[in-house]
Amino acid sequence: MSTSQSLVTTLKGTNVELDFHKIKKNLKDFLSAQDQFVDYNFEASGISILLDVLAYNTQMNAMTAHLALNELFLDSAQARPNVVSLAKQLGYLTRSVGSATATINLTVVPPFSYTSTSLTIPADIMFSGGGLSWYTASTYTTTKNGNGNFYFSNVILREGRRKVVRYYYDVRRSYPKFEIPDRDVDTSTIKVRVKETEKSTIYTTYRPFTYFSAIDDTTPVYFMEENALGLYEVYFTGGDIGISPSEGNIIEIEYIYSNGAAANGISVFKTDYIFTKAGESQIVRATASATGGRDKESADSIRFNAPYYFEAQNRCVSFNDYAAVIRREIPQVESINVWGGESNVPAEFGRVYIAIKPAGGLVIDNALKQYIINSVLRPKAVATISPRIIDAEYTYIGLDIESRYNPANTTNSSQAIADIIKNATIAFSNKYLNVFEGPFRYSKFLAAIDNSEVSIENTIARVYLIKKIFAYANQENEFFLTVPTEFYDFDADDAIIRSSIFRLNNISHYLIDQKDETDPNRRQLVLMFISTEGDQVVQDVDVGYIDLIGKIVYIYGFRPDTDTTISIYVNPKSYDIVPIRNQIISVDPNEVTVSVLSDYIETNIYPGTVRANATPRNITKFERG
Amino acid sequence: MEEDIIQTQLLSYHNRETLNVYEDIFARDQIYKDLDLRLIPHPLTGNINPLEEAKAVIRALYNLVMTETRERFFNMEFGCPIGGLLFNLHQVNTLDIQDQIKRSIELFEPRAVVQDIVIDNRPDENAIEITIYFTIANLTPEVFEVRLSRTR
């Protein structure tokens, strides 16, 4: 065979090709340099069939090598079982489905014949809500109140269904593993009990392995991991570390399997359970919608978390350690931020601050905070450092969006485009905001709007910040609000912040700011009222101030007529809003206005002759609210 | 000027890639030469001799007709979808078979210019005899016969 170039030179790309046709083309290129067989270009020829076999074989080998190598590393593995297996080598246990919790106040009105003065709600009483099952998380007891009712406050319900699986411990298998047959198990609810024989009534309760120093050779401890099928397995040490079940023992694994994130937001619950006697009536009120439900950890999340967890080594030393440990132990966490007390305002040395946003909710409840500090962090934290969990502080973004569109490029009406823009705004918020360290990038936002509909030519959006406060009636209210960006203009003659209207002494009032002539770094807050004639009059000049340097709004000393939510609108200096520490930014859909106009340039026959009516960047007077 | 030449060469290469075989047929400068997949050694030399000219094309037609469509990986269209007809020989439409074979040859074996296809249906023997009369581009007329018979 006469060749003008070597096989290696011609086929040098073949080994890295993964595409069948490219491999075959490389082989044809090689054959083009010889004259022994020239029919390779005809698909029906024998040499072409041989090339197919060669190319197929090469492609299979290349793909196998490519996939095998990629699946060997945590960064590049795609198949979830492989990601889980690689994370296992780092000592990382994947996060299971997290069941949502809801807090309710329950009033039980017993029939007259029920004479007991105290009532206990057992754990695991089933409630229903949103088509799902909920269980009381623990036991609650109360006494009869003055009305003859039993009132239980802050009863915690957990979503899911309880299940028990039983296994026979067979010593013939070395290190047997006991599979939990539900993929949706919440591993934080798993309880492992072992009894001697089928007829025994005495159980030994095993506890999950945490770290070696916590166990000795008499500690009943179990281990857990996720297997290749995505199911969790419980296994024991075989007697090497802690105690292990022995031949013939019965292992009971009790757990809750739940619907994860689907249960978030449910707020109506009821139960058929009779707490006292037939004839009783019940009033169930949720104090907040259900939160904390999370789906099983994704491969992407495992890829991100496992190295941090390994770095933390089950100890809380650096900021990342705290985040990694809490993320692993608490499935309800959607977003977390940790910073040292020295970075806090005001600085507080010897502390670590942790802000947590739960899935499907805004803040986590106090019971969970206590659990995280006492059971999750304290055993792993440096002794002299005291962790403190604080709630996320939300700053909402309001938007006045004005888009120009070319009607020739779309069949959508301007109203339909406005709806599309509003949905794109909400989608942008869900994708980039609503988490700690999730900044609002103005140009990215405009690009998202411009790309939301094909006919949109350009967009202008004015950005406002909104702080929401809940003021109680008939008491002095005090608020300390931090704003994630500088205020629009320190020396503005007009207001740079303004509140929504609330009723005070049966008259409409609002808050507004004005220059403080004595201090250039402050602006004074003023309480205004709107008279029956519509005049806006200063009522009080001593209701708070704005700290322009510290980016703080301090409000004190006003009493609305009723409990009311008041929005404080802020005109920011920059349209890029960057949250820090416990701040979270979110777009409030109720504060988004959209106007869509046909574009002047595209719709005018002689666009170069008349000046376009462009949208002003800033309005002359800040009157939002 | 130099850029123009490069551009022309690129276009020429591109055309060859997309239009492929017709250029080879009508302006060929070498004879057809193919590997005989039966791999029968020459009785004297013991070498596997290449098939040349008409024999190469006939063998290619055989490969084409005997390959069922969807049989070849990454080239599902390749082949002749007539194998399934052997299981329903009493209802075979000879026109259909002719069309299928003609279409396949036009698509995948442009060296052969079909003159006629004769179908001899032999249901008692579970077979169809197919005779393809064709000319090879730039060569004299050829006849190719193939017998399709059921193996199960």
Side-chain angles (χ1 to χ4, degrees):
Chain A
M1 190 181 285
S2 64
T3 55
S4 59
Q5 57 187 129
S6 73
L7 180 66
V8 173
T9 310
T10 313
L11 301 184
K12 64 182 179 185
T14 308
N15 286 339
V16 293
E17 290 290 358
L18 296 175
D19 181 70
F20 174 87
H21 298 289
K22 285 183 181 167
I23 294 169
K24 193 173 173 188
K25 184 178 175 303
N26 286 341
L27 292 169
K28 280 184 181 177
D29 286 348
F30 164 66
L31 285 179
S32 68
Q34 52 84 52
D35 55 9
Q36 193 75 12
F37 301 110
V38 294
D39 289 359
Y40 48 83
N41 266 330
F42 301 106
E43 285 297 311
S45 64
I47 192 74
S48 179
I49 293 172
L50 201 62
L51 289 188
D52 273 350
V53 175
L54 273 172
Y56 180 64
N57 188 44
T58 308
Q59 195 244 3
M60 283 295 290
N61 282 333
M63 282 299 290
T64 305
H66 183 76
L67 286 173
L69 279 171
N70 274 326
E71 294 299 311
L72 275 177
F73 300 99
L74 190 59
D75 286 336
S76 53
Q78 295 298 311
R80 192 174 187 283
N82 294 336
V83 176
V84 170
S85 177
L86 291 164
K88 216 182 282 178
Q89 294 171 11
L90 298 175
Y92 185 76
L93 176 62
T94 54
R95 195 193 64 229
S96 70
V97 168
S99 54
T101 56
T103 309
I104 60 166
N105 292 338
L106 172 67
T107 307
V108 178
V109 183
F112 289 117
S113 56
Y114 188 81
T115 52
S116 175
T117 54
S118 74
L119 179 63
T120 297
I121 301 177
D124 295 338
I125 298 300
M126 195 173 105
F127 282 67
S128 61
L132 305 174
S133 299
W134 302 75
Y135 290 90
T136 46
S138 56
T139 303
Y140 300 90
T141 302
T142 193
T143 53
K144 208 176 258 185
N145 63 18
N147 300 326
N149 303 332
F150 296 104
Y151 178 73
F152 297 89
S153 64
N154 297 326
V155 174
I156 293 174
L157 301 181
R158 186 184 276 273
E159 186 270 325
R161 282 187 175 274
R162 195 172 287 280
K163 195 170 180 179
V164 178
V165 290
R166 306 170 87 232
Y167 286 100
Y168 174 83
Y169 193 87
D170 186 351
V171 79
R172 286 170 299 181
R173 294 170 58 197
S174 57
Y175 296 101
K177 293 181 177 175
F178 303 96
E179 199 173 76
I180 297 171
D182 289 287
R183 282 191 170 74
D184 302 332
V185 59
D186 179 346
T187 52
S188 67
T189 66
I190 289 175
K191 291 172 188 165
V192 177
R193 299 183 294 264
V194 176
K195 61 180 180 177
E196 284 289 318
T197 63
E198 187 67 47
K199 291 179 180 170
S200 303
T201 53
I202 300 168
Y203 287 92
T204 305
T205 301
Y206 281 61
R207 67 183 200 214
F209 171 80
T210 48
Y211 38 91
F212 279 105
S213 60
I215 52 176
D216 55 30
D217 55 0
T218 61
T219 313
V221 62
Y222 71 87
F223 297 77
M224 192 161 48
E225 66 180 26
E226 185 182 335
N227 66 17
L229 299 173
L231 297 168
Y232 286 92
E233 291 175 331
V234 167
Y235 60 102
F236 304 92
T237 63
D240 297 338
I241 310 161
I243 60 169
S244 178
S246 49
E247 173 74 17
N249 285 177
I250 304 295
I251 297 158
E252 286 190 4
I253 305 171
E254 183 184 329
Y255 58 91
I256 287 176
Y257 63 100
S258 82
N259 291 282
N264 288 338
I266 293 171
S267 58
V268 179
F269 304 94
K270 64 174 185 176
T271 181
D272 296 328
Y273 187 81
I274 296 170
F275 296 99
T276 55
K277 275 178 137 182
E280 74 173 20
S281 60
Q282 304 157 356
I283 303 166
V284 184
R285 288 225 170 85
T287 56
S289 301
T291 60
R294 287 210 79 182
D295 294 332
K296 200 170 185 178
E297 189 168 18
S298 66
D300 282 342
S301 173
I302 297 168
R303 210 175 284 124
F304 177 81
N305 286 332
Y308 283 113
Y309 185 75
F310 179 70
E311 189 185 323
Q313 295 285 325
N314 214 17
R315 292 282 182 276
C316 294
V317 180
S318 72
F319 306 151
N320 285 338
D321 298 348
Y322 280 87
V325 166
I326 292 173
R327 269 187 189 283
R328 200 197 79 154
E329 300 278 338
I330 309 296
Q332 292 93 336
V333 173
E334 181 183 315
S335 181
I336 186 168
N337 199 18
V338 184
W339 64 96
E342 74 283 0
S343 308
N344 197 54
V345 177
E348 201 170 351
F349 296 94
R351 276 201 182 279
V352 165
Y353 282 86
I354 303 152
I356 296 174
K357 179 190 182 298
L362 300 179
V363 293
I364 60 171
D365 58 54
N366 288 332
L368 185 56
K369 282 180 195 165
Q370 285 301 320
Y371 173 77
I372 291 171
I373 288 178
N374 295 332
S375 303
V376 177
L377 298 180
R378 287 256 189 248
K380 301 178 177 71
V382 175
T384 53
I385 301 294
S386 176
R388 172 179 284 182
I389 298 177
I390 60 174
D391 288 332
E393 186 179 332
Y394 290 82
T395 302
Y396 295 91
I397 287 181
L399 293 154
D400 287 344
I401 303 169
E402 188 171 306
S403 285
R404 304 273 170 167
Y405 81 112
N406 183 355
N409 285 351
T410 183
T411 55
N412 284 327
S413 66
S414 58
Q415 182 55 48
I417 294 173
D419 291 342
I420 290 169
I421 290 174
K422 194 155 187 180
N423 288 337
T425 306
I426 295 165
F428 181 87
S429 176
N430 291 338
K431 186 174 180 184
Y432 295 109
L433 311 178
N434 296 325
V435 291
F436 298 107
E437 299 173 331
F440 177 84
R441 298 185 193 281
Y442 184 63
S443 64
K444 229 177 200 177
F445 171 72
L446 291 185
I449 299 302
D450 284 348
N451 294 330
S452 65
E453 217 273 353
V454 68
S455 67
I456 296 174
E457 298 289 345
N458 74 301
T459 301
I460 278 183
R462 294 192 204 99
V463 180
Y464 308 105
L465 302 183
I466 304 153
K467 304 293 289 188
K468 294 185 178 178
I469 55 177
F470 189 82
Y472 291 95
N474 306 318
Q475 76 173 51
E476 294 278 337
N477 287 282
E478 185 175 3
F479 299 100
F480 194 77
L481 308 172
T482 55
V483 180
T485 183
E486 283 188 34
F487 297 92
Y488 171 59
D489 184 359
F490 287 11
D491 288 327
D493 290 328
D494 291 319
I496 55 173
I497 81 164
R498 185 185 168 108
S499 80
S500 58
I501 290 169
F502 52 91
R503 302 287 286 179
L504 192 72
N505 302 327
N506 214 19
I507 301 171
S508 293
H509 283 74
Y510 64 93
L511 294 165
I512 203 167
D513 68 304
Q514 65 182 24
K515 262 186 185 176
D516 186 338
E517 302 295 348
T518 59
D519 188 347
N521 293 329
R522 278 193 180 194
R523 287 178 70 87
Q524 209 170 20
L525 275 185
V526 180
L527 183 64
M528 305 283 286
F529 77 88
I530 304 170
S531 70
T532 48
E533 291 79 26
D535 296 333
Q536 301 186 17
V537 186
V538 174
Q539 160 100 9
D540 192 349
V541 292
D542 189 24
V543 288
Y545 60 85
I546 306 173
D547 179 351
L548 296 165
I549 304 299
K551 300 176 218 169
I552 291 163
V553 179
Y554 186 41
I555 307 170
Y556 50 80
F558 71 99
R559 302 165 182 240
D561 292 350
T562 55
D563 292 354
T564 181
T565 300
I566 300 170
S567 297
I568 310 289
Y569 298 90
V570 178
N571 200 3
K573 187 168 192 175
S574 169
Y575 282 176
D576 286 333
I577 316 295
V578 183
I580 56 167
R581 293 191 291 271
N582 63 330
Q583 294 171 346
I584 288 182
I585 292 173
S586 178
V587 171
D588 183 348
N590 298 323
E591 298 286 356
V592 177
T593 65
V594 182
S595 70
V596 177
L597 304 169
S598 60
D599 184 65
Y600 173 80
I601 306 288
E602 298 295 340
T603 55
N604 202 303
I605 300 171
Y606 304 109
T609 57
V610 185
R611 189 172 296 282
N613 185 18
T615 310
R617 187 181 63 173
N618 287 311
I619 49 174
T620 50
K621 196 172 180 185
F622 184 62
E623 286 188 330
R624 201 168 171 104
Chain B
M1 192 61 179
E2 196 178 334
E3 281 182 7
D4 288 345
I5 293 168
I6 292 169
Q7 188 66 20
T8 310
Q9 284 172 343
L10 282 174
L11 279 174
S12 168
Y13 179 75
H14 176 72
N15 289 342
R16 188 181 167 83
E17 284 296 301
T18 52
L19 300 176
N20 65 55
V21 289
Y22 293 101
E23 197 180 348
D24 288 343
I25 293 162
F26 297 113
R28 70 200 186 104
D29 55 359
Q30 56 188 354
I31 59 172
Y32 300 132
K33 229 189 240 185
D34 193 13
L35 175 70
D36 187 354
L37 284 184
R38 290 174 299 178
L39 302 176
I40 301 167
H42 190 277
L44 294 179
T45 63
N47 293 334
I48 308 282
N49 282 351
L51 297 169
E52 293 189 0
E53 295 292 42
K55 284 182 182 173
V57 179
I58 288 171
R59 199 68 210 163
L61 283 180
Y62 179 83
N63 293 337
L64 179 61
V65 175
M66 298 303 282
T67 304
E68 190 65 24
T69 49
R70 298 179 174 275
E71 189 180 316
R72 191 86 78 93
F73 286 115
F74 298 101
N75 196 355
M76 297 298 177
E77 295 285 314
F78 182 84
C80 216
I82 56 173
L85 300 175
L86 294 172
F87 293 89
N88 200 9
L89 286 172
H90 289 286
Q91 294 178 9
V92 162
N93 183 340
T94 52
L95 283 175
D96 275 355
I97 299 179
Q98 285 172 336
D99 279 353
Q100 292 287 4
I101 293 173
K102 196 171 179 191
R103 183 176 161 276
S104 300
I105 293 173
E106 282 171 357
L107 274 174
F108 298 108
E109 194 42 82
R111 290 176 297 182
V113 182
V114 175
Q115 304 299 326
D116 193 13
I117 298 172
V118 176
I119 308 292
D120 185 5
N121 189 2
R122 298 190 177 182
D124 294 340
E125 299 171 32
N126 294 322
I128 305 172
E129 290 220 352
I130 301 166
T131 308
I132 303 170
Y133 295 87
F134 67 98
T135 54
I136 299 174
N138 296 347
L139 286 180
T140 52
E142 293 287 342
V143 180
F144 161 58
E145 289 182 24
V146 62
R147 179 188 171 91
L148 291 179
S149 59
R150 208 158 74 194
T151 54
R152 61 187 166 90

